[in-house]
Amino acid sequence: MKAFKRVLAVILSLVMVLSLTCTAFADSDYSTPPTERLRFDSKGYFRILQLADCQDGMLPRYGMIEFIKKALDKYKPDLVVFTGDNTTSISTEFEAKLAIEAIIDPVAEAGVPFTFVFGNHDAEDVSKEYHYSIYSQYSNCYAYDAVPEMYGMGTHNLPIYSADGSKVAFNLWMFDSNMYNEEKGGYDHIHEDQLQWYVDASNTLKAQNGGEAVPSLCFQHIVPNEAVDYVRTSDTEVKNGYYNEDNGKWYYLDPEYVEKDSLLMEHPCPGTVDSMQMELFEQQGDVLGVFVGHDHVNDYIINTTLKNAKGESIDIVNTPGCTFSSYGDELMRGCRIIDLNEKDPWNYKTESPTFFNVMGDTEETRMMSYFSREIGWWYVAKVLEFIPEIGPALAEGFLKLVYTLAHL
């Protein structure tokens, strides 16, 4: 009993220390931009890895973590951007800390800078300030809260300098698209003070660039309202669309405005209020495209009718989620690679490799995908591994048996 009391006392002491630490974090100022600059490499290239909707908790699905590690190794990005719902709805700071560390540790180990924005789920029960306190512990975290008084948290921009470091050659806008609209219901939107900050910062960059707009990309969680304008319906089956059982219609994206192989597998879910963000992008002329997540099973590039300073469309790009915890599609789950070229900064190249594109399509990876979704069986196998001598073989045999029976 005395030993138990001593252990309990130690646990309570640790909890108190963590509580004090969390309080200290909550009072911190996260408005300082990173001291290190992003820049194009010696050949004039810059690569971004976008990870949308990791959306898992303190014990994340092992398939997602292995996928992140492999994507980092395979594509060797210069920056990782997490575009919201980086964690799921979690109720304690302790859970939030472990959930964040699970997805950031592989990025830190790879030595790659990262930034992030919030989604609608991240801070439902644990504050955004606490989330920032965990992210900011990493030396490779480039995210910051540009104006703490601004609506939401974490709206900021990251300039990418030329290979020789002499000027800002490109820019990245990061918007907190916020959570839920408490007055009207549905999802929230980017608010007026955030948009005014964007206009002011865009004009500053323009002035520094001899009056010319600096080519930019935008990253946020919730899709702009304009995406809905390109959705069409059909009474007969269509390719790359989805069927709505409620009204018996097929929904798809207008092929005149989308790039090849774009997939609409659920209706776009923008904010209830149209913030007019896209119209401001057209006014400023600097944005090439808006990259979002949120709608886990959509994978598309819409070439909107809105134009940037070079007369090219301001694209809306939806990246599939990489979560195994929330809803998803086994054949679409993945990430997005974005390649920039300093010699051609008003264009970008992008692809959205799936889990199997990255990991390889083998029996092992299909089992990994299956047991990352049906996680309970995987936990049973991990317990079996503890059995002396026969544990590992027993666990492997157990998983193969479950997988075989599930696919009969």
Side-chain angles (χ1 to χ4, degrees):
M1 180 62 72
K2 290 182 179 179
F4 172 77
K5 288 182 177 179
R6 284 197 296 270
V7 172
L8 182 60
V10 171
I11 293 173
L12 290 174
S13 298
L14 288 172
V15 170
M16 290 178 66
V17 169
L18 285 172
S19 299
L20 290 172
T21 304
C22 295
T23 301
F25 284 150
D27 293 333
S28 297
D29 178 8
Y30 303 111
S31 63
T32 304
T35 55
E36 296 293 326
R37 290 179 173 182
L38 298 175
R39 60 194 294 174
F40 285 89
D41 68 17
S42 59
K43 295 181 179 180
Y45 294 105
F46 191 92
R47 172 168 284 182
I48 300 168
L49 167 63
Q50 180 194 0
L51 294 171
D53 300 271
C54 294
Q55 202 164 331
D56 212 333
M58 61 185 289
L59 297 173
R61 312 306 168 98
Y62 75 113
M64 181 184 70
I65 302 304
E66 291 303 312
F67 170 74
I68 292 174
K69 291 178 180 178
K70 185 69 173 180
L72 288 165
D73 181 62
K74 182 173 183 176
Y75 296 109
K76 295 178 173 49
D78 299 294
L79 178 72
V80 176
V81 179
F82 292 90
T83 48
D85 284 0
N86 310 318
T87 61
T88 190
S89 303
I90 44 184
S91 57
T92 69
E93 292 181 348
F94 178 71
E95 293 175 273
K97 180 177 186 296
L98 294 184
I100 293 168
E101 289 176 346
I103 60 172
I104 300 301
D105 280 350
V107 184
E109 290 169 8
V112 180
F114 77 90
T115 189
F116 72 94
V117 292
F118 287 116
N120 53 290
H121 286 303
D122 293 287
E124 287 180 326
D125 295 303
V126 177
S127 71
K128 291 180 180 180
E129 288 78 8
Y130 181 75
H131 281 251
Y132 247 88
S133 75
I134 304 303
Y135 286 112
S136 63
Q137 292 180 64
Y138 290 88
S139 60
N140 60 324
C141 178
Y142 280 45
Y144 64 102
D145 188 25
V147 181
E149 297 76 23
M150 194 158 50
Y151 196 93
M153 186 175 188
T155 296
H156 63 282
N157 74 295
L158 292 174
I160 304 176
Y161 284 77
S162 56
D164 63 9
S166 63
K167 66 174 185 176
V168 174
F170 204 87
N171 183 63
L172 305 175
W173 301 108
M174 305 287 162
F175 283 96
D176 181 3
S177 54
N178 301 301
M179 297 169 65
Y180 305 102
N181 191 317
E182 296 180 1
E183 294 182 5
K184 300 179 181 293
Y187 295 109
D188 207 347
H189 58 282
I190 294 172
H191 284 239
E192 185 175 348
D193 59 347
Q194 295 174 277
L195 295 174
Q196 186 59 56
W197 166 83
Y198 155 70
V199 171
D200 293 342
S202 174
N203 286 337
T204 298
L205 286 171
K206 187 181 296 185
Q208 295 170 350
N209 194 43
E212 298 290 329
V214 175
S216 306
L217 295 179
C218 167
F219 294 87
Q220 61 194 55
H221 181 66
I222 296 176
V223 64
N225 294 69
E226 284 76 6
V228 178
D229 297 340
Y230 301 88
V231 177
R232 307 289 182 259
T233 61
S234 172
D235 293 325
T236 57
E237 184 174 354
V238 295
K239 183 181 179 181
N240 297 343
Y242 73 95
Y243 181 70
N244 186 328
E245 293 182 353
D246 293 335
N247 61 11
K249 292 185 179 296
W250 286 83
Y251 287 74
Y252 64 102
L253 292 168
D254 191 329
E256 182 180 349
Y257 297 100
V258 297
E259 296 196 10
K260 184 181 177 181
D261 298 326
S262 289
L263 297 173
L264 183 75
M265 304 304 291
E266 63 174 308
H267 205 275
C269 296
T272 305
V273 174
D274 185 352
S275 67
M276 307 303 288
Q277 170 192 21
M278 294 289 287
E279 286 76 7
L280 275 181
F281 287 164
E282 183 174 47
Q283 171 188 304
Q284 292 300 116
D286 55 354
V287 174
L288 285 65
V290 183
F291 291 74
V292 302
H294 188 49
D295 301 326
H296 297 190
V297 292
N298 285 342
D299 181 4
Y300 59 69
I301 302 174
I302 300 174
N303 304 137
T304 74
T305 56
L306 299 169
K307 306 296 183 182
N308 59 38
K310 297 299 181 180
E312 300 293 335
S313 67
I314 303 174
D315 301 332
I316 299 176
V317 186
N318 201 124
T319 297
C322 63
T323 179
F324 283 90
S325 176
S326 184
Y327 76 95
D329 185 292
E330 183 178 18
L331 299 179
M332 293 176 62
R333 182 178 290 109
C335 61
R336 183 169 294 280
I337 301 300
I338 306 156
D339 285 318
L340 306 175
N341 184 344
E342 185 182 347
K343 295 178 181 178
D344 186 21
W346 286 95
N347 290 291
Y348 65 90
K349 294 182 179 179
T350 186
E351 60 177 307
S352 52
T354 68
F355 173 85
F356 293 110
N357 292 149
V358 174
M359 303 296 292
D361 191 353
T362 66
E363 182 182 21
E364 180 182 1
T365 56
R366 289 205 166 270
M367 286 181 64
M368 179 183 290
S369 175
Y370 177 77
F371 288 113
S372 291
R373 289 177 282 119
E374 304 295 333
I375 194 69
W377 297 118
W378 187 74
Y379 285 140
V380 172
K382 299 307 286 184
V383 172
L384 292 176
E385 285 184 359
F386 285 99
I387 299 176
E389 297 182 4
I390 64 170
L394 183 62
E396 182 180 357
F398 170 77
L399 289 177
K400 287 185 176 180
L401 175 62
V402 171
Y403 183 77
T404 300
L405 292 175
H407 290 81
L408 288 177

